[in-house]
Structures are given as structure tokens and as C-alpha cells.
Amino acid sequence: MKKLLKVIMSMFKEEKLQEFQDIEIKDVVMDSKKVQEGSLFLAINNGNKYIQEALNKGAAIVIGDKVPEEINDKRVITVENTIEIMQKLAREYRRELALKVIGITGSNGKTTTKDLITGVLSEKYITEKTQGNYNNHIGLPYTILTLPGNTEVVVLEMGMSSFGEIDTLCKIAEPNYGIITNIGDSHLEFLKTRENVFKAKGEMIKYISSDKLFIFGDDPYLKNVSGIKVGYLEENDYKINIISEELSATEFTVNNFEKYKISLNGKHNCINATMAIGIGKAFGLTMEEIQRGLEKSQMTAMRFEKKLVGETLYINDAYNASPTSMEYSLMTFDNLKVSKKKIAILGDMLELGEESVKFHKEILEKAIETKIDKIFLYGPLMAQGAQLVKNNNIYTFETKNDIVKALREEKEPIAVLLKGSRGMKLEEIIEQKEQK
């Protein structure tokens, strides 16, 4: 990572130029357990306690802000704030690589859109993306600092929970292209209203020219934003029509004549895919290249992920949940063409603020309007919502083990949807079921 070393030497040229000129950085880590010979170790918070351990393992450079007094090693750079230095290094390294940066924000669909865009652009460019949930003021600069020197495009998720965070991330990443997937109910615990969610997500807008900003045009909060609009309404620049949806794939057209196919289900995933199509076109890819990229996309786990355990088909959509994504998931599951009894397991939706029970009640009202055979609930918020919605197809459970027992008592083949916030860890139901 010679280009990263160049940036570090430039930033600390007065005191460290001679010491660093013969160093080779092999990787960048924030966890001292992952330090190896040649690592750049970024000591954040408690990480400062493990600086000596990192040095003993052969770290090439250590940057810390609370370096123990007894450590006197030329490989250590002491700074006032490690996180701020990370952010500055990331911005300069991004410039050194001459990257094209695509920033993605929105209440739902960021990860799937990121995965699809990466798959598409990888057909023509050396493309990297945010891994896991590294999408905040620490994770985003870390992602940039770990990029190989030959990276041409990076697709970055930009998460937030309050005002000013998207602004900070844009200042670090300096995105060339932007995507706002939608404005939903996520983060209402902190931001209180959808209007505030829009203001917070919309901090990206001033950093992207309108001809490079892709937005969900059907969203009432985004329809008046100047940009390239994607959606199902006639006025969108990329208008979607679904042709057919099967268990293994969905076919759709864009602007009534370009036909595409994805191995995903649901109207929302056609929107995510069309964002990737629009970005692909902006980067000069052909329809054939875009389709190949959509097919090859490596999707992040627990996003409507299908898994067959015996005769039971699990749809693991349990990475996270909000009222909007919960409704998308239920609609998609309801429309799924599968000859099995359908059971939806719904966990609490967290961080929704004062009206949380109201949101759970509303989602249950929508759930009972579907053709889903049974609705299993897990969590105190879902239980409170259920008390306000009387229906014979709703069942509440206190433990995941009780849910597993109920699933095992089903006498016919079943398809099971799991949807809830990350804190509910509904995927453990599959793990327990497999241990039968």
C-alpha cells in the first residue's frame, strides 16, 4: 500500500519522514488481534491499551491518541484524536487513488443496492464496496483506508442516526455519484419525524450534481428533489414494469423496452436493481454487461436469503427492520409463488421512538390482510401491537425455542419468513431448527 504510505508521510512529514520511508504497509486494522507483520494499527478508544501488543506483533505504524507513557517506539505516531486523523487520511488517500466514489444513503435498501452496483461495475472496473456495517464516521474512513491501490471505483454505504452525519461522511468520501434509496421510518427515536429523516439523509444532495444523483422518484419526500428519478410512476427517468416473479428470479423492464432479470424477489429489489442499471449506464456499460453484473452480484447475507432445511424453506430477511422494510418483506413473501404453507415470524422493530407500538399495530394490520397462513410474533413491542389487533392467525411467543417447537409441530411443508431488527437475532431460529 505504497500510496497510503505516501499520504501518511505527507501528513506527518516533519517528524516521521525518515523513519517511514523504508516501511511497507501490508494492511490496515483497528483490532489489535488482527495485527500482523506490516500492519497499520489505528488505536481507537480502548485500542490504545493494546499498542504495545500491536508493536510486538510487528505493526509497521501505530496511530494512537492515548499512548501509554512507557512506550517509546519510532513506529508510534501520537495524535490528539485518532478518529479525526483517520478521516483526514481517508480523504487524502481517496484523492491519491483518483477514485470514482458512489455514496448511498436512505432508510432501506442501501446494502442490496450497494451489492448490485458493485456487481454491475465489476464487469468493467476494479470495484470495491463497504463490507458489513462499516458505514459510519469510523467505518467509512476505515473502508477507504483498506482499499487496494489499484481500485477504480468504490461503493460506499452512508449510515446515520442524527443530523450532520451524512455531511461528515460526504466531506470524507467526496462522492462523485449519489443515491438516496428512500425516506422511511428508521431513526425516528432520534429524529422524531420523516421530515427530519429527509433533512438528515438529504445532506448528501449539496455534494452531488443533479445529473449524478439517483433518487427513488415515487417517494413523496424525494419527488421534488432535482436528480435522476427511478421508480414505478410514469414521470420517472427510469420507469419500472414487472413482467413476472418466480421463487428464483424476477423479470422486469426499464422504460418499457430494456428487459432485465435478477435473482431477487419484490418490487423494492427491482428499484434497487434499477439504481444499479442507471449507475451502470452512467459508467458506460452496455445492457449485456449490466445484466451479467446483476447475475454475478454477491449479495450480503440475511436480505431475503433463501435456505432449505429439510422440507422447510426459510426466507431470512432478519438483518434489520423498519415499518417500510417490514411491509416490503411481507408483500414480497405474500406474492412468493411457493406450494407451501406460509408462516411469517416477525420480531420487534427498534429505534422507532414514542409511537413504536402504533407502528407495530399498523404493520400487523397489514400482515393480516395478506394470504400468509400464520403470523408468529417475538418481542415485547410486537406483543403490545398484537393486543390491539385481534386475529386468529396471530400467535405470540416469549422465546425463540417456543417458536422452534411450534414450527416442528407443523404437519405440512412450510415456508417461513423471518423479519425483525438486528437486535432480535431471528436467524437463531433457523440455527435451533437445524439442531433437531
Side-chain angles (χ1 to χ4, degrees), residues 112-285:
T112 301
T113 303
K114 171 199 69 180
D115 291 340
L116 292 167
I117 289 174
T118 303
V120 167
L121 294 185
S122 293
E123 286 295 300
K124 191 171 183 179
Y125 302 95
I126 300 171
T127 307
E128 301 290 339
K129 65 179 179 180
T130 301
Q131 298 296 326
N133 61 349
Y134 285 128
N135 63 5
N136 64 4
H137 67 295
I138 295 174
L140 180 138
Y142 177 72
T143 296
I144 294 174
L145 290 172
T146 59
L147 294 174
N150 63 345
T151 306
E152 296 175 302
V153 183
V154 62
V155 189
L156 298 174
E157 278 191 54
M158 295 183 172
M160 50 126 292
S161 57
S162 61
F163 294 115
E165 294 182 21
I166 296 297
D167 187 73
T168 295
L169 299 181
C170 285
K171 286 177 179 175
I172 298 167
E174 297 180 344
N176 306 96
Y177 293 81
I179 293 171
I180 305 178
T181 58
N182 57 17
I183 304 298
D185 302 306
S186 303
H187 313 303
L188 288 183
E189 181 178 359
F190 310 103
L191 293 174
K192 306 303 181 185
T193 67
R194 276 199 178 191
E195 287 79 5
N196 284 340
V197 174
F198 167 64
K199 289 176 184 177
K201 301 286 187 185
E203 290 170 1
M204 172 186 280
I205 295 170
K206 66 183 179 183
Y207 291 93
I208 313 289
S209 61
S210 60
D211 62 333
K212 294 181 179 178
L213 178 65
F214 290 78
I215 57 180
F216 177 36
D218 297 4
D219 192 301
Y221 290 93
L222 296 173
K223 64 181 180 180
N224 294 322
V225 174
S226 181
I228 301 169
K229 294 181 171 63
V230 172
Y232 290 91
L233 299 178
E234 286 292 336
E235 57 266 30
N236 286 306
D237 299 288
Y238 287 85
K239 182 183 179 299
I240 306 164
N241 283 303
I242 292 181
I243 302 172
S244 65
E245 182 174 2
E246 303 294 336
L247 179 61
S248 60
T250 304
E251 285 191 70
F252 62 98
T253 61
V254 175
N255 294 337
N256 296 317
F257 70 94
E258 293 185 6
K259 185 184 292 186
Y260 295 95
K261 185 176 183 179
I262 53 174
S263 58
L264 298 167
N265 299 101
K267 292 179 65 176
H268 57 298
N269 280 321
C270 292
I271 298 166
N272 300 333
T274 305
M275 294 288 190
I277 291 166
I279 288 287
K281 287 179 173 293
F283 275 73
L285 274 71

Side-chain angles (χ1 to χ4, degrees), residues 9-78:
M9 289 176 65
S10 175
M11 184 170 292
F12 300 101
K13 57 186 177 182
E14 293 182 6
E15 66 256 43
K16 292 292 182 180
L17 179 61
Q18 295 302 317
E19 289 90 338
F20 288 168
Q21 60 185 353
D22 296 323
I23 284 176
E24 181 182 356
I25 298 175
K26 294 181 180 178
D27 64 352
V28 182
V29 297
M30 295 187 291
D31 183 347
S32 61
K33 295 177 182 178
K34 297 180 180 179
V35 172
Q36 58 185 342
E37 192 78 30
S39 292
L40 165 61
F41 175 53
L42 300 164
I44 298 172
N45 300 326
N46 287 336
N48 287 275
K49 297 178 180 179
Y50 302 97
I51 288 176
Q52 188 60 59
E53 176 187 330
L55 294 169
N56 293 343
K57 288 182 175 181
I61 300 175
V62 173
I63 299 176
D65 50 15
K66 296 178 182 176
V67 180
E69 292 181 3
E70 65 271 17
I71 294 178
N72 182 18
D73 193 301
K74 66 180 183 180
R75 293 172 290 170
V76 178
I77 302 175
T78 302

